[in-house]
Amino acid sequence: MLGDSELQALNSSLKTVADDNQRHHQELHRLLDQFHFLLESYNRLKSDYEEEKEGRERYKKLARAQERNPFILVLVDGDGYLFKEYLIKAGAEGGVKAARVLNDSIRDLAHERLGIEADQCRIMVRIYSNILGLSKSMARSGLVRHEARSLSTFASSFTRAQDLFDYVDAGDKKEGADYKIREMFRLFADNNQCKHIFFAGCHDTGYLSLITPYRGKTDRITLVKAASFHPEFERLDLPVRELPTVFMSTQSAGNRAPSPTISIPTAPKLCTYYQKGTCRYGSSCKKIHISPGQQLSKTPEHSTRLSISSQDKNHTTARESEFYSKNLPYMNVKSLDFIPVNKDGERIDTYVPPPSPEVWEGYVQRSKVRKLCNNYHLGGSCGNEICEFDHSPVDSDSLNVMKHILRQHVCSKGTKCRALNCYVGHHCQKGGCRGSKPCRFGWRGHTLDLTVSQWETPVERSTSADSSASPDSVDDDSGAWTTTGWGDSNGSPLEPSFNHTLSNMRL
C-alpha cells in the first residue's frame, strides 16, 4: 500500500500532466487560429494577384493594339482656314491636290515634332465648315461658281483623295463647325494612339478654353497659323507653325509697320450741285451750300488749318506697292462676310495685286469680244433681265483686272461705306502714289491707318439700307462717270493709261 507521501507525489505528477496537457491544447488552438489566418490571407493575395495579372494582360493587349495603329490628327476649322486660291479655283482637281499638299506639309512637321516615330504614324485630317455659306462667300469673290454648295466638288474630291481625310459639312447653323471640332479634340487629346494634334482654329478665341488645359504640352499639340491668327494663342506656350503652301495667310496686325496717321481738319468744300440747284441731299449734305457768286469767309482759324493741311500734304510719304501688300488685309473668310475697319471706323479694302502686262492684254482681248458686267461678276448679281453685258464665266486673271481697275475709283460714301458688294475703292493702294492727279482719293486716302481694328457687319445684313453706290451713281463734284471712263464733270478722262481698257468695261 502506498504511503501518504507517495500518494501526494502521484497527485502532484497527475496535476502536472494535466496542466501540461492544458497548455498543449491551448497552444494547438493558437497555432490552428494562426494557420486559418494565414490561409485566408494567402487566398486573398492569390485572388488579388489573379486580378492584377488579368489587368496587366488586358493593358498589354491594349498597348499592343495602340502601338499597331498610331496616327496624327489634323483638326481644321474650314470657316477660318481657307485653302490657297489656285486650289479652290481648280475645283475637283484642286481638292485632290490640296489633300496631297496638306499631307506632305503635315508629314514634314510631324518629323520635326516626333522624329523617326512619325514614319509609323498615319495622318488623319478632319475639316469642318459651313459649305453653303462658304460657297456663297467665295462665289462673290470669283473663286467658285454662282451655285448653291459649289464648294462641294472641291470638298468631296479632298475627301476621296486620302483614306483618313474628311472635309465635313457642319451645316449652316451658328457654331456648327466649332462644336464638331471641340468634341473631336476632347476625344483624341488624351488618346495614346493619337501621337500628336495639329490644331488649325487659332482665328477664333472661342477655342482658347479648349486648348488652355494643355498649355505647354509641346509633345502633344502644335498650333497652325494662317490668316487672322489671334495673338492670344501665342501665350499658350505651344509651338506655332505655318503651312504657306496650303492655307491663305497674311501678316498679323501686330507685325505691321505703323501707318502714318495725322488728324488735321481739312478745308470745307463747296457743293457745286447746290449752286446749280440740283443737290438732292438738302441739309444732310456734308458740303457747304452758298449761292452762286457768294464768297466763303475765311476765319484766321480756317486759314491756319488750310496752311497746315497743305504743308502736310506736300510732305506725305508715298507708300510703295510692298507696303500695301504687307499691310492690307487679304481675302479670307472674314473679308468675305464682314467689313474691315480701322480704329477710327474707316473702311479698309482688301489687297488687290496689280495685274501683269500679259494678264492686262488677255483681259483687253476678252473685252473686245463683249464687255463684262461688273454687277454680275463683282457685285454677285445683276438684276437686269435684259442686261447687254457679258455674264458668262470669267477667268480669275480677268476678274483680278476688273477688281484692280475699279478699286482705283472712289466710292461715293467713302470710308463710311459698309456695303459688302461694293467693288470700288475706299482708299488708294497704288504704289508710289502721292494723291496728285489723276488719283481721286485725296490726301486722307493715302495716309489712312491700314491696321484692322474690328470687322463690322455689312449693311446688307444689318439694315435694309441701300448698298454702297456703284460708279453709275457717283454724283459728287469731283467727277462723273462717262461713256468713255471715269472723268471730270466735262467728261475728260482721268487716267489716260487705262482708257483702252476702261472703254471695254461697264463701270
Side-chain angles (χ1 to χ4, degrees):
M1 177 177 291
L2 298 175
D4 290 340
S5 58
E6 292 176 338
L7 289 173
Q8 189 174 13
L10 182 59
N11 185 46
S12 297
S13 298
L14 289 174
K15 185 177 180 181
T16 300
V17 172
D19 290 341
D20 290 341
N21 189 48
Q22 181 66 27
R23 285 195 299 272
H24 176 74
H25 181 73
Q26 290 176 351
E27 185 67 19
L28 181 61
H29 275 286
R30 186 181 66 80
L31 291 175
L32 289 174
D33 290 341
Q34 288 183 349
F35 175 77
H36 285 298
F37 175 76
L38 292 174
L39 185 61
E40 290 177 358
S41 298
Y42 170 78
N43 290 330
R44 285 197 301 270
L45 289 174
K46 182 179 179 181
S47 177
D48 292 343
Y49 169 75
E50 295 295 337
E51 290 179 1
E52 183 67 20
K53 183 179 179 180
E54 292 178 2
R56 290 185 62 186
E57 290 300 325
R58 287 194 300 268
Y59 174 79
K60 289 179 180 179
K61 291 180 181 179
L62 180 62
R64 286 193 296 268
Q66 292 177 345
E67 291 300 326
R68 283 199 302 267
N69 296 293
F71 65 90
I72 295 167
L73 178 64
V74 183
L75 278 178
V76 182
D77 187 330
D79 292 335
Y81 283 63
L82 302 181
F83 284 95
K84 304 290 282 188
E85 288 190 16
Y86 80 95
L87 296 173
I88 297 294
K89 291 177 181 178
E93 182 180 349
V96 175
K97 187 172 183 179
R100 183 172 64 253
V101 174
L102 178 58
N103 183 78
D104 294 342
S105 299
I106 293 297
R107 183 67 67 185
D108 292 340
L109 292 181
H111 276 283
E112 175 189 336
R113 308 307 307 167
L114 303 177
I116 60 174
E117 186 182 359
D119 293 331
Q120 308 300 324
C121 297
R122 303 179 69 186
I123 297 177
M124 178 189 296
V125 177
R126 293 291 184 271
I127 302 178
Y128 299 95
S129 70
N130 174 6
I131 289 184
L132 177 61
L134 206 55
S135 298
K136 293 180 180 178
S137 299
M138 288 185 172
R140 289 197 295 266
S141 296
L143 296 179
V144 295
R145 294 174 298 178
H146 291 269
E147 300 173 358
R149 302 184 183 277
S150 51
L151 187 62
S152 297
T153 303
F154 174 90
S156 59
S157 297
F158 179 91
T159 301
R160 291 194 303 269
Q162 301 283 342
D163 293 342
L164 296 180
F165 281 35
D166 288 315
Y167 196 122
V168 182
D169 184 2
D172 55 359
K173 299 296 183 181
K174 186 178 181 181
E175 308 296 333
D178 297 27
Y179 174 77
K180 291 287 187 180
I181 291 174
R182 288 175 181 276
E183 293 306 312
M184 287 291 291
F185 182 88
R186 294 189 181 104
L187 180 63
F188 291 109
D190 299 313
N191 186 302
N192 289 331
Q193 282 181 279
C194 181
K195 301 303 180 182
H196 205 82
I197 296 178
F198 290 91
F199 185 81
C202 302
H203 65 294
D204 188 351
T205 55
Y207 292 122
L208 283 172
S209 60
L210 179 69
I211 307 297
T212 300
Y214 298 88
R215 181 173 184 171
K217 293 189 176 181
T218 58
D219 60 326
R220 293 291 298 165
I221 301 171
T222 295
L223 303 179
V224 178
K225 182 178 181 180
S228 303
F229 181 87
H230 201 283
E232 288 292 332
F233 285 90
E234 295 179 348
R235 303 178 182 178
L236 297 178
D237 298 327
L238 293 172
V240 179
R241 297 292 183 269
E242 292 190 62
L243 300 178
T245 61
V246 181
F247 300 116
M248 297 182 190
S249 60
T250 60
Q251 187 175 13
S252 62
N255 297 328
R256 289 179 177 169
S259 303
T261 56
I262 305 175
S263 178
I264 299 178
T266 58
K269 294 182 179 180
L270 299 180
C271 179
T272 58
Y273 289 96
Y274 177 81
Q275 295 183 343
K276 297 176 183 178
T278 58
C279 181
R280 63 181 180 180
Y281 294 103
S283 59
S284 63
C285 182
K286 295 182 179 180
K287 299 179 181 179
I288 297 178
H289 286 185
I290 61 174
S291 301
Q294 183 179 355
Q295 297 294 324
L296 177 65
S297 62
K298 298 183 179 180
T299 63
E301 178 185 3
H302 176 58
S303 299
T304 302
R305 290 179 178 177
L306 285 177
S307 61
I308 293 175
S309 178
S310 300
Q311 181 179 4
D312 286 326
K313 288 180 182 179
N314 293 333
H315 289 82
T316 298
T317 302
R319 295 172 170 177
E320 300 301 330
S321 299
E322 292 78 8
F323 177 87
Y324 292 111
S325 65
K326 291 180 180 179
N327 289 274
L328 285 176
Y330 279 58
M331 192 280 295
N332 56 35
V333 70
K334 278 196 173 181
S335 64
L336 295 176
D337 291 306
F338 297 93
I339 305 296
V341 298
N342 62 17
K343 59 182 177 58
D344 298 317
E346 298 167 304
R347 177 169 181 166
I348 301 174
D349 290 329
T350 54
Y351 179 66
V352 177
S356 65
E358 294 77 11
V359 172
W360 273 105
E361 182 61 27
Y363 169 76
V364 171
Q365 297 302 322
R366 166 66 187 269
S367 297
K368 286 181 178 179
V369 178
R370 189 181 178 189
K371 299 176 183 178
L372 299 172
C373 178
N374 297 331
N375 288 334
Y376 179 80
H377 292 292
L378 298 180
S381 62
C382 177
N384 185 358
E385 296 181 357
I386 56 173
C387 181
E388 60 181 298
F389 300 101
D390 192 358
H391 287 191
S392 60
V394 60
D395 61 88
S396 59
D397 289 337
S398 295
L399 192 66
N400 188 64
V401 174
M402 296 174 68
K403 292 180 181 178
H404 180 75
I405 295 174
L406 287 163
R407 285 291 174 85
Q408 299 179 47
H409 303 301
V410 185
C411 173
S412 63
K413 294 185 179 180
T415 57
K416 300 299 182 183
C417 174
R418 295 296 184 269
L420 191 62
N421 62 351
C422 180
Y423 43 76
V424 290
H426 304 89
H427 58 79
C428 185
Q429 56 175 286
K430 185 178 180 180
C433 182
R434 294 178 180 270
S436 57
K437 291 183 178 181
C439 183
R440 305 284 300 284
F441 286 97
W443 172 76
R444 183 57 178 164
H446 296 79
T447 59
L448 196 71
D449 182 2
L450 303 182
T451 302
V452 178
S453 175
Q454 60 181 335
W455 297 81
E456 294 190 359
T457 302
V459 68
E460 289 93 336
R461 294 205 303 270
S462 60
T463 66
S464 59
D466 294 334
S467 62
S468 176
S470 66
D472 295 306
S473 61
V474 174
D475 60 354
D476 61 10
D477 63 340
S478 59
W481 178 247
T482 68
T483 56
T484 58
W486 249 149
D488 58 19
S489 57
N490 296 321
S492 301
L494 289 174
E495 198 158 357
S497 61
F498 292 149
N499 284 347
H500 70 287
T501 303
L502 292 175
S503 62
N504 291 316
M505 294 191 64
R506 176 179 178 260
L507 294 175

